[in-house]
Amino acid sequence: MGDATNSVASVFRPSPALSKVGPSAITRMTAATAELKRQGRQIASMHLGEPDFGTPGNIVEAAIRAMRAGDTHYTALDGTPEVKSAVQEKFSRENGIYFENDQIVVTSGAKMVLFSAFFATLNLGDEVILPAPYWVSYGDIVEMMGARAVVLPTDAQDGFKLRAEDLERAITPNTRWLLINSPSNPSGAIYRRSEYEPILDVIERHPHVWLMVDDMYEHIIFQDEPFVTPAQLRPDLQGRILTINGVSKAYAMTGWRIGYAGGPAPLMKAIKAVLSQSTSCPCSIAQAASAEALRGPQDSVRRYLGEYRVRRDLVITELSHCPDLKATEPDGTFYAFVDWRALFGKLTPRGETLSDDEDLCQYLLHDCGVSIVPGSAFGTPGFFRISFASSEAELRLGIARIREGCAALI
C-alpha cells in the first residue's frame, strides 16, 4: 500500500496557477493555533477576522422559514429575485446607487466575486494595482490568473491611503484594475470623499483602467463622516466600477457565505459565465437569510458597532503601554495594524533573532501564547495585525502577553 501511495504522489503535477500560491498566513496561523490548543495550550486568539457575535435571530428565523417552505433547491446562478431585489434596495437606500437587475450578482461569499471578476477579465501579463497594506487574498488571486500584482506601498503618516500621484506613476498600458478596500483590512483606513476624488480623476484619465472596490466593512466605521463609495461619487465612471460587499462582517454571517456586487452589465454577464461553471449558485437558504439581513431591522449592526468601538479603544490604549510598538487608531473594521520595527534584530529569551514578521509572530505564538498575523502577508513588512473581534477578556489577555513578550526581548 505504501509503495502504491508513493507512486501516485510521484506523478502528481500541480497546476502552474498554483506555483506562487499556498495557504494564506491567516490559514496557517489558524491551523497552528488550533494545534496548540489541542495540545492543551491556552492561546489568546487575535488573528482571525470573524465576529464573535451570533447571527441575529430574525436572520436565523428567515432561514428556518425558507427551509420549511421547501426553499432548498437550485436557484438562479446569480441569486434569487428576492435577494437581488434586497441588494438593489440596499445600494439605493444606503449608497445612492441604482443598479438594474442584470447589473447585480450574488455569490458564495464576496471572495467569489473577486475571483470571478479577475477570471473573467485578466489575461497573461495584465496588471492589477494593489495599495498596500491589502487583504491577503488579493495578490494570490491575481497571480493565479497569470496576471501581475503591482503593489503600491502606502505610509502610516498618510493614513495608509493611496496618493493620486503614486497611482498615476504606476499605471501602464497593461494595467487592468485598481483594487481599493475601504474600510481597509488590515489598516482600518477609510477613504473620504476628498481622498477618493483625486484618485477617480486619475481613473477618468485612463479609460483602460477599471476600479474594483471592496466595501465589506462599510458598516463598521467609527468616524462621524458618512461612508462613501466611488460609484456613488462619480456616476460617470460607473461603467468601469465594480462595487463589492457582503453580509459576513456587518451581520456576523461569515459561515453563511454570501457576497454581492453591482457593476456594468457586460462585466456581470462575464462573471455569471464563470459562476455557471464553478459554484452554480449560492446556497438558497443563505440567500433567504441575507435578504432578511439587508431588509430587516438594523439594531444588531448598531449594537455590534458599539461593542467594536469599546474594544478598539481598549486595544489602542493597552498597546500604548508598549513603548516599542506603535498602533495607528483605525477609523473602521475590527483590526489594529501595529508597527513593531523598533524591535527588529532583537533576541528572544532563547537567543533567536527577530529578523522578520514571521519570526515575531512565531515567537509570540509559541513562547507567549498569543496569535496575530504578520504584516508581510498584507504586503507591509514591519507590522502585524490584531483582530479585536473577540471578547474584552481575550483582548486584555492577548495584549498583556504581547507586552510581556516584547519586554522579554534582549
Side-chain angles (χ1 to χ4, degrees), residues 315-328:
V315 166
I316 296 301
T317 298
E318 292 299 314
L319 285 172
S320 70
H321 301 311
C322 302
D324 293 315
L325 301 179
K326 184 184 299 184
T328 301

Side-chain angles (χ1 to χ4, degrees), residues 22 150 348 396:
V150 178
T348 70
R396 289 184 185 278

Side-chain angles (χ1 to χ4, degrees), residues 340-346 353-357 381-383:
W340 71 279
R341 287 175 291 184
L343 298 174
F344 268 155
K346 291 205 171 187
T353 303
L354 298 182
S355 57
D356 58 27
D357 300 337
F383 290 75

Side-chain angles (χ1 to χ4, degrees), residues 107-112 247-248 253-259 282-283 286 290:
T107 59
S108 300
K111 188 186 291 187
M112 195 61 199
V247 298
S248 293
M253 294 177 67
T254 52
W256 298 79
R257 307 309 304 135
I258 294 292
C283 169
S290 298

Side-chain angles (χ1 to χ4, degrees), residues 12-145:
F12 171 71
R13 290 182 299 150
S15 163
L18 298 178
S19 62
K20 299 179 181 179
V21 178
S24 72
I26 298 173
T27 301
R28 295 196 304 271
M29 185 59 71
T30 299
T33 300
E35 175 59 23
L36 289 175
K37 288 182 176 180
R38 189 189 67 78
Q39 296 172 11
R41 293 279 304 278
Q42 182 194 35
I43 306 297
S45 298
M46 303 176 71
H47 67 284
L48 198 58
E50 179 172 41
D52 63 331
F53 306 114
T55 302
N58 63 303
I59 298 173
V60 174
E61 289 301 319
I64 294 171
R65 289 195 301 271
M67 286 186 284
R68 287 176 174 162
D71 188 7
T72 55
H73 303 280
Y74 292 130
T75 73
L77 60 92
D78 58 338
T80 64
E82 179 188 22
V83 75
K84 289 185 74 173
S85 176
V87 169
Q88 200 173 35
E89 293 168 13
K90 181 266 178 233
F91 276 127
S92 177
R93 178 182 68 247
E94 297 183 352
N95 307 117
I97 312 169
Y98 179 78
F99 291 110
E100 299 285 354
N101 188 66
D102 64 351
Q103 294 178 303
I104 292 172
V105 296
V106 179
T107 59
S108 300
K111 188 186 291 187
M112 195 61 199
V113 180
L114 288 159
F115 188 94
S116 300
F118 284 144
F119 190 98
T121 61
L122 293 178
N123 293 313
L124 292 175
D126 282 347
E127 296 173 350
V128 177
I129 296 175
L130 301 179
Y134 52 80
W135 182 48
V136 294
S137 290
Y138 293 158
D140 282 352
I141 295 174
V142 170
E143 297 288 343
M144 288 176 70
M145 304 305 163

Side-chain angles (χ1 to χ4, degrees), residues 51-53 56 183 188 190 217-225 227 249-252 298-314 330-335 388-389 392:
D52 63 331
F53 306 114
I190 299 175
Y217 294 89
E218 172 187 358
H219 291 102
I220 307 176
I221 60 174
F222 309 115
Q223 63 181 29
D224 294 330
E225 190 171 333
F227 174 82
K249 310 299 183 179
Y251 301 97
Q298 303 296 302
D299 307 56
S300 296
V301 176
R302 290 186 285 270
R303 178 167 57 84
Y304 298 161
L305 177 60
E307 292 283 347
Y308 291 137
R309 188 187 298 274
V310 170
R311 296 175 184 182
R312 178 199 64 166
D313 294 346
L314 166 65
D331 287 330
T333 73
F334 37 66
Y335 306 111
F388 49 87
E392 288 189 42

Side-chain angles (χ1 to χ4, degrees), residues 140-168:
D140 282 352
I141 295 174
V142 170
E143 297 288 343
M144 288 176 70
M145 304 305 163
R148 188 168 78 92
V150 178
V151 178
L152 290 189
T154 63
D155 196 287
Q157 293 182 344
D158 295 325
F160 291 113
K161 296 170 192 176
L162 176 64
R163 297 187 303 178
E165 54 267 35
D166 293 334
L167 173 62
E168 185 78 62

